[in-house]
Amino acid sequence: MPLRSRLTLPLARLRRGIRASEFALIALAVVIGASAGLGTVILGALARTLQHWMFALPTGQRLSATDSLSWAQLAMLPVGGAVLSIFSWGVRSKRRRMVDAVEANALHGGRMAVPDSLVVAGQTVISNGFGASVGLEAAYAQIGSVVASVAGAALQLRRSDLRNLVGAGAGASIAAAFGAPLAGAFYAFEIVIGAYTPSAIAPIAAAAISAVFVSQLFGAQPYVIDTVALFPSESHHYLLFAGLGGLCAILGIGLMRLVAIVEQGSRAMPLPDWMRPILGGALLMPIAFWSPQVLSSGHGALHMDIAVGASLGFVALVFLAKASASVVSLGFGFRGGLFFASLFLGTLIGHLFAGVLALIAGYQVVEPHDAAMVGMAALAVAVVGGPMTMAMLVLEATQDFALTGAVLAAALVSSTIVRETFGYSFSTWRLHLRGETIKSARDIGWIRALTVGKMMRRETRATDCEISIREFRQRFPLGAASRVVLINATQHYAGIVQTPVAYADGLDPDAGVGTIAINAEAALSVDMDIVTVMKRFDASGADELAVLDSDRHVVGILSESYVRRRYAEELEKAQNDLFGER
């Protein structure tokens, strides 16, 4: 037996086993979670090693927890921009449009490319390792999700199973990074899959737990917040923290829009693209010279600012500096995420909120550490999404159920305001700026795949619009055809004639049949998706529309009844996948 056949046979058996057994799918998720946890450990170690080399940090020292840095050390920021440009130039031949887990699940059924994901991970590690104010979460989630995507594609799993595995891989990476399996599991549901799917609960939970186990086995230090609430939240605190959630929503929207504005401005500058990260690194130098807390993810600074009290003025300045550094880093081409930056910024907002309330009331209305935790989650929800993700993160960090309830209230307020007034998370906002219409990771790929070209009936019999109504009646007796597509002398589409209309009383038999044609301007193109088609039918009021190519030549025809039937069938299929019918 040939070697390929010997390899294909066990793979086919494994595929059938996973498709038929939920236990087998869970076992696969455990392996994916362990791989994601290992990938998180490796990427984190690479970034920290770079930071220690580039900035000559003492062993165990976090870059953002450093008291001060010299100008010579800070020169590593533009150097990092140059290294990033060289790396991006070196891989440019392999680069297509980078697809992250959210876009993959929304549009491509969970399919991702390994080379693209390695490029994203490499760019993120370089950016973070050289001190840019970006998080590693993008690299973590990219590696975890691409492992799942490759494994699922190799086993030819169902589209729904593949999407769930991609969510499991991304969630496992986040779980490993934060040492928080519940937060990682909800990250998979809320951010990557876009829905709570019963069929995915066990695989995602198994992946998150195995990822945390592997990361701890290798001695990784998770990004947990080692703090507890000093007194239980009272009922009126929920209203105050809901107000803090609303404030965080406004600031989160402003932060995301500001990143887009700076990015558009930097691209409009008369500079080549490779110069943008170098200039961005130079702009970061004076900000970091004032306070190194703005550099990297900000994990060390977060612990330092929570543990040590500071004046409101200093906290406000650190907030502005960190926000500016993040905006400059992302706007000038460094690669990374806003997840951890939003956590850090949220704690500062919480401190400011508690301090301002104390100044107004004359006494401490809410405990600053409580407010810091609530602000951390609320701003992260505004930027990243996922209220339950952030609530579980706080719960696993503090073990305080009363505080978690307040966090959830603020997170829901923040999420609702952002959804209603803005409609995007940071990842989907950047996709929107690129021309996509993705609002979440919900699977809309089947909508785009169901195009006019796949649904239409080919039209081979088009009629000259210049013939008379009398001749039309001779060619098309009643009952011979329900409608006839017309073309003009240049073979271009000229409308549709409903055959019974040509037999109506009062018509001039010698008039051209084109005079009774309808929908001459309303037509479809081959690449339109089904939602666009239904909108076109609603706007035109037509029962059938012609399908035209780019030169307005008739290639087919499509009826509204068939389109709506196909949409209902595909929607039912998608809902069955959502609720786990195997």
Side-chain angles (χ1 to χ4, degrees), residues 48 51-52 57 60-67 128 131-137 177-178 221-226 291-309 314 318 322 340-341 343-345 347-348 351 376:
R48 287 191 297 272
Q51 290 176 7
H52 280 79
L57 299 178
Q61 177 71 45
R62 294 273 187 179
L63 179 59
S64 60
T66 306
D67 291 331
N128 183 277
S133 185
V134 295
L136 285 169
E137 313 82 36
F178 286 90
Q221 297 181 357
Y223 288 164
V224 295
I225 315 302
D226 187 16
S291 174
Q293 292 190 42
V294 305
L295 295 178
S296 188
S297 298
H299 181 245
L302 186 150
H303 281 275
M304 185 170 63
D305 285 349
I306 287 180
V308 180
F314 179 77
V318 172
K322 177 62 177 178
F340 205 87
L343 295 177
F344 177 33
L345 291 169
T347 62
L348 300 177
H351 274 299
M376 177 185 79

Side-chain angles (χ1 to χ4, degrees), residues 248 251-253 255-256 338-339 342 378-385 414 418 424-427:
C248 288
L251 292 173
I253 293 171
L255 184 63
M256 289 186 282
L338 270 180
F339 192 164
S342 64
L379 186 63
V381 167
V383 173
V384 181
S414 176
V418 171
Y424 300 93
S425 66
F426 183 61
S427 59

Side-chain angles (χ1 to χ4, degrees), residues 368-554:
H369 284 76
D370 290 359
M373 293 295 98
V374 174
M376 177 185 79
L379 186 63
V381 167
V383 173
V384 181
M388 287 301 299
T389 302
M390 302 310 164
M392 292 303 103
L393 179 61
V394 171
L395 176 61
E396 291 176 293
T398 65
Q399 304 297 312
D400 190 302
F401 285 91
L403 178 60
T404 302
V407 165
L408 187 56
L412 290 173
V413 169
S414 176
S415 175
T416 301
I417 291 175
V418 171
R419 239 184 5 254
E420 289 296 318
T421 61
F422 188 59
Y424 300 93
S425 66
F426 183 61
S427 59
T428 56
W429 171 237
R430 303 198 85 178
L431 291 172
H432 167 73
L433 295 175
R434 207 171 64 190
E436 297 289 354
T437 56
I438 303 171
K439 295 248 178 160
S440 76
R442 288 182 181 273
D443 188 8
I444 60 171
W446 65 271
I447 293 177
R448 296 194 174 190
L450 196 56
T451 61
V452 169
K454 294 181 179 180
M455 295 185 291
M456 70 180 185
R457 298 194 304 275
R458 292 286 173 180
E459 181 63 39
T460 58
R461 187 175 61 175
T463 301
D464 186 356
C465 67
E466 298 297 330
I467 66 171
S468 67
I469 293 177
R470 178 182 289 105
E471 185 178 352
F472 181 89
R473 290 171 177 172
Q474 293 173 352
R475 290 189 187 183
F476 303 101
L478 277 173
S482 61
R483 49 93 192 109
V484 176
V485 178
L486 301 183
I487 56 174
N488 58 24
T490 59
Q491 303 297 305
H492 292 158
Y493 172 65
I496 294 176
V497 172
Q498 295 173 332
T499 305
V501 173
Y503 286 83
D505 295 334
L507 294 180
D508 181 2
D510 296 320
V513 73
T515 59
I516 58 172
I518 59 174
N519 300 319
E521 299 300 325
L524 306 173
S525 61
V526 175
D527 58 351
M528 283 183 176
D529 63 59
I530 191 167
V531 172
T532 306
V533 170
M534 290 194 297
K535 291 179 180 178
R536 185 64 60 89
F537 273 113
D538 289 339
S540 65
D543 295 324
E544 293 177 311
L545 288 175
V547 182
L548 312 180
D549 62 17
S550 57
D551 295 323
R552 289 189 62 80
H553 294 150
V554 178

Side-chain angles (χ1 to χ4, degrees), residues 250-273:
I250 295 170
L251 292 173
I253 293 171
L255 184 63
M256 289 186 282
R257 286 195 176 276
L258 194 56
V259 169
I261 291 171
V262 171
E263 183 174 10
Q264 291 169 355
S266 70
R267 291 187 181 279
M269 297 173 67
L271 293 173
D273 275 350

